[in-house]
Amino acid sequence: MEIKRNNQNIFKKSINKINDIKQLKVGVILLVLLLIVSIFAPVFATHDPYSLGDEMIAAPSSTHYLGTDGLGRDVFSMIIYGTRTSLMIGIVAALISGVIGTLLGGIAGFFGGKIDRLLTEINNIFLMMPTFFLILIVVALFGSSLINVMLIIGLTSWVGNARLMRAQAMSLRERTFIMGAYSIGEKKWTILLKHIIPNGIFPIIANTTMIISGAILTEASLSFLGLGDPNVVSWGQIIYNGREYMTSAWWISTFAGIVVVLTVLSFYLIGDGLNRVLSPKLHDQN
Amino acid sequence: MGSFIIRRSFTGILIIFVAIFLNFMLIQLAPGDPISILSGQDSPSPEMEEALREKYGLNDSVGVQFLTYLRTLAGGDLGESILSGRPVSEMIGERIGPTLMLTLTTAILALLIGTLLGIYCARRPGSKLDNLLSGLSYLFDSMPSFWLGMMFILLFASWLGIFPTSGMVDLRANHSGIAYYIDVLHHMFLPATTLTLLSIPYFFRITRSSVIQVMSEDFVTTLRATGMSEGRIFNKYVLKNSILPTITVFGITIAYMITGVAIIEIVFSWPGMGSFMLNAISRRDYPLLMGIYLVLSISVAVTMIVVDVLYAFIDPRIRYSK
């Protein structure tokens, strides 16, 4: 009973917190809408996004809400199904980057010494590389399947997370409760995984939310270069396909782009909102 | 100062080396056999395949191949394009001018506009303009660059017809002298505006938060207590201290901007490396693609180190602390 009430309190508190911070509120509302759309895509879609219709480049109307593309596919339904692709790529890539960043940063900051110097140097190298071109070459060489795209984006975007986690680990390892853990004989790895990472993870969660935005934009850019997965509908591909019809059918690219902006914006807002929860000082000043 | 430059240069060399190594490893791991393409489709003889393998040194161990690769790179040889058969370095050389022009113009414009707006808003936090610009900076951050470019083409080129849709010069007009430069500027307006708008948020945010942070420091309070005017405190003490992070960000932003430039070039058919890269991708011209990647990595590394050294030159804390 006690625990239940406590849980309710936490829930209420987080709702209050979300309401307090404007960015977080708007971002969460947008995200919930997107999740609903992606889960119930078949309900919302008016046509099969893969089926080629007879009406090519038809203007938006009551049968085709956002018109049709050059192959007669319904743009509205394609955008609805594209939500799944974009969200999946964004979230999986960000998770990969979150796990790698947390582990490498945690190890560097907690163990220090030579390992730290080595990992920091690797970090600096990654920071100074134009990673988008690396992603591009890898996808061009190894194929543009959804898995490849998610993997390579995740593998190249962990630098920021590693830096944050390293700073967290360095400040946490001096704290009394970590000393306490040593004194009861816990192993270093256990301390890292059980105490350091869980206590320092919050800024990484905020940053990872923003990486979702970056990953969605990267996937869109790849699709725009013709390097998207041809087997799924994605927003970047809709924009890419619409480019040839810009003058005769502006609606194809325009609407898909607006959806990308809204989605990316929602993750940015959530990330920024979480950062504000973390540092109320910054919040007051703004 | 000297040791700082040496340390940074060492990191730079390391980065270039890693880029070369990655380049090499990617080609090694990539699926497909170059010999089966070179020897033709119609049942090539094993002897010919063997001869080709020997000719291109593919029988050597991976280590030896890497050394050969390094040696040829050191001589400025980036290989030959599969499609045109011309040296990659020569092809890149022809295309690098327009890219540099676009990148530098937009980088400097974005730096100036973003920093000025950042300073202006930081002195009036919470004002209407501040809220508006902060909101806009989010919006531009969330936009796919190519989409914004396409929207500009739709609006200003297709519908209003004020600006040309693509290219760098009007090939039919055959301008010379001043008219030529005006024509280039006219063509550059839309791609440069797109890129500048997308890069302003970086500088705007970093300057704004940096000024706000310096303004809240104790020495500013002390200066206020002495009765010094706000304007004097700002111009004489706050500005110098808060402008430094902008310079660091400038280096990193260049790396991101090069990505943006490449994609915007494709949208506006700007005759630089980006549109070139698209050709290389769609025709799977790997030597060309790799060459472009290497040249970009090296230029980004060099730019960042120059910026870092410049930073250390301005701010003594950097060169002494590390």
Short mmCIF file of all heavy atoms in Angstrom, two decimals, chain A residues 51-84:
data_model
loop_
_atom_site.label_atom_id
_atom_site.label_comp_id
_atom_site.label_asym_id
_atom_site.label_seq_id
_atom_site.Cartn_x
_atom_site.Cartn_y
_atom_site.Cartn_z
N SER A 51 1.06 0.10 -52.73
CA SER A 51 0.32 -0.21 -53.95
C SER A 51 0.36 0.98 -54.91
O SER A 51 0.19 2.13 -54.52
CB SER A 51 -1.12 -0.57 -53.62
OG SER A 51 -1.86 0.60 -53.44
N LEU A 52 0.62 0.68 -56.18
CA LEU A 52 0.71 1.73 -57.18
C LEU A 52 -0.69 2.00 -57.72
O LEU A 52 -1.37 1.09 -58.18
CB LEU A 52 1.63 1.29 -58.32
CG LEU A 52 2.97 0.71 -57.87
CD1 LEU A 52 3.78 0.26 -59.07
CD2 LEU A 52 3.76 1.70 -57.05
N GLY A 53 -1.14 3.27 -57.67
CA GLY A 53 -2.47 3.62 -58.12
C GLY A 53 -2.47 4.10 -59.56
O GLY A 53 -1.43 4.24 -60.19
N ASP A 54 -3.68 4.34 -60.08
CA ASP A 54 -3.80 4.83 -61.45
C ASP A 54 -3.59 6.34 -61.54
O ASP A 54 -3.18 6.85 -62.57
CB ASP A 54 -5.19 4.49 -62.02
CG ASP A 54 -5.38 2.99 -62.08
OD1 ASP A 54 -4.35 2.31 -62.27
OD2 ASP A 54 -6.51 2.52 -61.91
N GLU A 55 -3.94 7.03 -60.44
CA GLU A 55 -3.82 8.50 -60.48
C GLU A 55 -2.39 8.88 -60.08
O GLU A 55 -2.04 8.77 -58.92
CB GLU A 55 -4.78 9.13 -59.48
CG GLU A 55 -6.23 8.93 -59.79
CD GLU A 55 -7.07 9.45 -58.66
OE1 GLU A 55 -7.37 10.64 -58.65
OE2 GLU A 55 -7.40 8.66 -57.75
N MET A 56 -1.61 9.31 -61.05
CA MET A 56 -0.26 9.74 -60.71
C MET A 56 -0.23 11.24 -60.49
O MET A 56 -0.98 11.97 -61.11
CB MET A 56 0.70 9.35 -61.83
CG MET A 56 1.03 7.88 -61.74
SD MET A 56 1.87 7.33 -63.20
CE MET A 56 0.55 6.72 -64.17
N ILE A 57 0.69 11.67 -59.63
CA ILE A 57 0.81 13.06 -59.17
C ILE A 57 -0.54 13.79 -59.11
O ILE A 57 -0.70 14.88 -59.64
CB ILE A 57 1.87 13.88 -59.94
CG1 ILE A 57 1.64 13.86 -61.45
CG2 ILE A 57 3.27 13.40 -59.64
CD1 ILE A 57 2.55 14.87 -62.18
N ALA A 58 -1.51 13.14 -58.41
CA ALA A 58 -2.80 13.79 -58.18
C ALA A 58 -2.66 14.77 -57.02
O ALA A 58 -2.00 14.47 -56.03
CB ALA A 58 -3.85 12.75 -57.86
N ALA A 59 -3.27 15.94 -57.14
CA ALA A 59 -3.18 16.95 -56.09
C ALA A 59 -3.96 16.49 -54.86
O ALA A 59 -4.81 15.60 -54.96
CB ALA A 59 -3.76 18.26 -56.60
N PRO A 60 -3.64 17.06 -53.68
CA PRO A 60 -4.37 16.68 -52.46
C PRO A 60 -5.88 16.84 -52.66
O PRO A 60 -6.35 17.84 -53.22
CB PRO A 60 -3.85 17.69 -51.43
CG PRO A 60 -2.50 18.05 -51.90
CD PRO A 60 -2.55 17.99 -53.40
N SER A 61 -6.64 15.83 -52.24
CA SER A 61 -8.10 15.87 -52.40
C SER A 61 -8.73 15.05 -51.30
O SER A 61 -8.02 14.59 -50.39
CB SER A 61 -8.48 15.28 -53.76
OG SER A 61 -8.13 13.91 -53.77
N SER A 62 -10.03 14.82 -51.37
CA SER A 62 -10.68 14.07 -50.28
C SER A 62 -10.35 12.57 -50.35
O SER A 62 -10.38 11.88 -49.35
CB SER A 62 -12.20 14.28 -50.34
OG SER A 62 -12.66 13.92 -51.62
N THR A 63 -9.99 12.05 -51.52
CA THR A 63 -9.59 10.63 -51.58
C THR A 63 -8.11 10.47 -51.21
O THR A 63 -7.74 9.54 -50.51
CB THR A 63 -9.82 10.04 -52.98
OG1 THR A 63 -9.43 10.99 -53.94
CG2 THR A 63 -11.25 9.61 -53.18
N HIS A 64 -7.27 11.38 -51.70
CA HIS A 64 -5.84 11.35 -51.35
C HIS A 64 -5.54 12.64 -50.59
O HIS A 64 -5.34 13.68 -51.19
CB HIS A 64 -4.98 11.28 -52.60
CG HIS A 64 -5.19 10.03 -53.40
ND1 HIS A 64 -4.74 8.81 -52.98
CD2 HIS A 64 -5.84 9.82 -54.56
CE1 HIS A 64 -5.08 7.89 -53.87
NE2 HIS A 64 -5.76 8.47 -54.83
N TYR A 65 -5.56 12.53 -49.24
CA TYR A 65 -5.44 13.73 -48.41
C TYR A 65 -4.25 14.59 -48.78
O TYR A 65 -4.33 15.80 -48.80
CB TYR A 65 -5.35 13.35 -46.92
CG TYR A 65 -6.58 12.65 -46.41
CD1 TYR A 65 -6.46 11.55 -45.57
CD2 TYR A 65 -7.84 13.11 -46.76
CE1 TYR A 65 -7.60 10.91 -45.10
CE2 TYR A 65 -8.98 12.46 -46.31
CZ TYR A 65 -8.85 11.36 -45.48
OH TYR A 65 -9.96 10.73 -45.03
N LEU A 66 -3.11 13.94 -49.02
CA LEU A 66 -1.90 14.71 -49.33
C LEU A 66 -1.44 14.43 -50.76
O LEU A 66 -0.27 14.57 -51.09
CB LEU A 66 -0.77 14.37 -48.33
CG LEU A 66 -1.07 14.66 -46.86
CD1 LEU A 66 0.11 14.29 -45.99
CD2 LEU A 66 -1.43 16.12 -46.62
N GLY A 67 -2.35 14.02 -51.62
CA GLY A 67 -2.02 13.78 -53.02
C GLY A 67 -1.33 12.45 -53.23
O GLY A 67 -1.20 11.63 -52.31
N THR A 68 -0.88 12.21 -54.47
CA THR A 68 -0.16 10.97 -54.77
C THR A 68 1.17 11.33 -55.41
O THR A 68 1.38 12.44 -55.88
CB THR A 68 -0.94 10.09 -55.77
OG1 THR A 68 -1.11 10.83 -56.98
CG2 THR A 68 -2.28 9.67 -55.22
N ASP A 69 2.10 10.35 -55.40
CA ASP A 69 3.43 10.62 -55.95
C ASP A 69 3.51 10.17 -57.42
O ASP A 69 2.50 9.84 -58.04
CB ASP A 69 4.52 9.97 -55.08
CG ASP A 69 4.57 8.47 -55.26
OD1 ASP A 69 3.67 7.91 -55.92
OD2 ASP A 69 5.51 7.85 -54.73
N GLY A 70 4.71 10.14 -57.95
CA GLY A 70 4.90 9.86 -59.37
C GLY A 70 4.48 8.46 -59.78
O GLY A 70 4.29 8.18 -60.96
N LEU A 71 4.38 7.55 -58.80
CA LEU A 71 3.95 6.18 -59.14
C LEU A 71 2.51 5.95 -58.72
O LEU A 71 2.03 4.81 -58.73
CB LEU A 71 4.86 5.17 -58.44
CG LEU A 71 6.32 5.19 -58.86
CD1 LEU A 71 7.15 4.30 -57.96
CD2 LEU A 71 6.45 4.74 -60.31
N GLY A 72 1.80 7.00 -58.33
CA GLY A 72 0.41 6.87 -57.94
C GLY A 72 0.19 6.37 -56.53
O GLY A 72 -0.91 5.99 -56.16
N ARG A 73 1.27 6.37 -55.71
CA ARG A 73 1.10 5.93 -54.32
C ARG A 73 0.55 7.09 -53.49
O ARG A 73 0.85 8.26 -53.76
CB ARG A 73 2.44 5.47 -53.74
CG ARG A 73 2.90 4.17 -54.32
CD ARG A 73 4.29 3.82 -53.84
NE ARG A 73 5.28 4.77 -54.33
CZ ARG A 73 6.59 4.59 -54.19
NH1 ARG A 73 7.05 3.56 -53.56
NH2 ARG A 73 7.42 5.48 -54.67
N ASP A 74 -0.24 6.75 -52.48
CA ASP A 74 -0.88 7.75 -51.64
C ASP A 74 0.15 8.33 -50.65
O ASP A 74 0.68 7.61 -49.80
CB ASP A 74 -2.04 7.10 -50.88
CG ASP A 74 -2.81 8.11 -50.05
OD1 ASP A 74 -3.29 9.09 -50.62
OD2 ASP A 74 -2.89 7.91 -48.83
N VAL A 75 0.43 9.64 -50.75
CA VAL A 75 1.47 10.26 -49.93
C VAL A 75 1.12 10.20 -48.44
O VAL A 75 1.96 9.89 -47.60
CB VAL A 75 1.74 11.71 -50.37
CG1 VAL A 75 2.74 12.38 -49.44
CG2 VAL A 75 2.26 11.75 -51.79
N PHE A 76 -0.16 10.44 -48.12
CA PHE A 76 -0.59 10.41 -46.73
C PHE A 76 -0.28 9.06 -46.08
O PHE A 76 0.34 8.98 -45.01
CB PHE A 76 -2.09 10.72 -46.64
CG PHE A 76 -2.66 10.65 -45.26
CD1 PHE A 76 -2.37 11.62 -44.33
CD2 PHE A 76 -3.49 9.59 -44.88
CE1 PHE A 76 -2.89 11.57 -43.04
CE2 PHE A 76 -4.01 9.52 -43.59
CZ PHE A 76 -3.71 10.52 -42.69
N SER A 77 -0.66 7.98 -46.75
CA SER A 77 -0.42 6.65 -46.18
C SER A 77 1.07 6.34 -46.10
O SER A 77 1.53 5.70 -45.14
CB SER A 77 -1.11 5.58 -47.03
OG SER A 77 -2.44 5.93 -47.24
N MET A 78 1.83 6.82 -47.10
CA MET A 78 3.28 6.58 -47.05
C MET A 78 3.89 7.28 -45.84
O MET A 78 4.75 6.72 -45.15
CB MET A 78 3.94 7.09 -48.33
CG MET A 78 3.77 6.16 -49.51
SD MET A 78 4.19 7.00 -51.05
CE MET A 78 5.95 7.02 -50.98
N ILE A 79 3.43 8.50 -45.59
CA ILE A 79 3.97 9.25 -44.45
C ILE A 79 3.62 8.53 -43.15
O ILE A 79 4.45 8.38 -42.25
CB ILE A 79 3.45 10.70 -44.44
CG1 ILE A 79 4.11 11.48 -45.58
CG2 ILE A 79 3.73 11.39 -43.11
CD1 ILE A 79 3.67 12.91 -45.71
N ILE A 80 2.38 8.03 -43.05
CA ILE A 80 1.94 7.31 -41.85
C ILE A 80 2.85 6.10 -41.60
O ILE A 80 3.38 5.90 -40.50
CB ILE A 80 0.48 6.84 -42.00
CG1 ILE A 80 -0.45 8.03 -42.10
CG2 ILE A 80 0.09 5.90 -40.87
CD1 ILE A 80 -0.85 8.64 -40.81
N TYR A 81 3.07 5.30 -42.65
CA TYR A 81 3.92 4.11 -42.46
C TYR A 81 5.37 4.49 -42.26
O TYR A 81 6.12 3.79 -41.58
CB TYR A 81 3.77 3.16 -43.65
CG TYR A 81 2.61 2.21 -43.48
CD1 TYR A 81 1.35 2.54 -43.93
CD2 TYR A 81 2.78 0.99 -42.84
CE1 TYR A 81 0.27 1.71 -43.75
CE2 TYR A 81 1.72 0.13 -42.66
CZ TYR A 81 0.46 0.49 -43.13
OH TYR A 81 -0.60 -0.36 -42.93
N GLY A 82 5.79 5.63 -42.86
CA GLY A 82 7.17 6.09 -42.69
C GLY A 82 7.50 6.40 -41.25
O GLY A 82 8.66 6.32 -40.85
N THR A 83 6.48 6.75 -40.44
CA THR A 83 6.70 7.02 -39.02
C THR A 83 7.41 5.85 -38.36
O THR A 83 8.34 6.03 -37.57
CB THR A 83 5.35 7.24 -38.30
OG1 THR A 83 4.54 8.06 -39.13
CG2 THR A 83 5.54 7.91 -36.97
N ARG A 84 6.97 4.64 -38.71
CA ARG A 84 7.57 3.44 -38.11
C ARG A 84 9.05 3.38 -38.41
O ARG A 84 9.88 3.18 -37.52
CB ARG A 84 6.90 2.18 -38.67
CG ARG A 84 5.50 2.01 -38.19
CD ARG A 84 4.91 0.73 -38.73
NE ARG A 84 3.66 0.41 -38.04
CZ ARG A 84 2.93 -0.65 -38.31
NH1 ARG A 84 3.32 -1.50 -39.24
NH2 ARG A 84 1.83 -0.88 -37.64
#
